[in-house]
Amino acid sequence: MSHDTTAADAPTPEFALRRRVVAAIADDAVESVSDLRPRGRAEEIEAALRETHLPALEEAGYIEWDPETGEIEPGPNFSEAAAHVADLPDPVHDPESADD
């Protein structure tokens, strides 16, 4: 999967779910979408991942994602995203969190 989007044009991962995707991949804790399924509103969260967050991360080159199989792996710009995630504080209240 290749993209024309350069790292300079790509937004930094600022949404909580995007940070979780990058952090989970960095920790070797995710290989597919099902590995990202948190407790709680699973269908709602998985839909948001598939429709919004994973495509945005892929477009930025942070991940490579196969929507057919659900497989996720680091993309060509992954190290840039991982560096941003390491510097971000955990949100005090994450409105997208399934732990509500």
Side-chain angles (χ1 to χ4, degrees):
M1 295 176 208
S2 65
H3 302 281
D4 294 332
T5 304
T6 63
D9 296 334
T12 59
E14 59 192 35
F15 297 103
L17 285 175
R18 293 181 192 178
R19 288 194 306 262
R20 286 189 195 129
V21 170
V22 172
I25 294 171
D27 291 341
D28 290 326
V30 63
E31 292 180 5
S32 71
V33 173
S34 63
D35 295 331
L36 297 169
R37 194 172 302 162
R39 296 186 315 246
R41 312 172 325 237
E43 290 101 20
E44 184 179 320
I45 292 168
E46 186 170 341
L49 282 164
R50 287 183 179 278
E51 295 168 13
T52 304
H53 302 293
L54 294 175
L57 289 165
E58 184 176 41
E59 178 71 24
Y62 297 143
I63 66 169
E64 290 190 2
W65 169 54
D66 184 338
E68 299 284 324
T69 65
E71 292 181 18
I72 302 170
E73 59 186 46
N77 301 328
F78 181 77
S79 61
E80 176 186 324
H84 287 292
V85 170
D87 294 338
L88 294 172
D90 287 331
V92 173
H93 174 69
D94 177 2
E96 295 181 281
S97 175
D99 296 331
D100 295 338

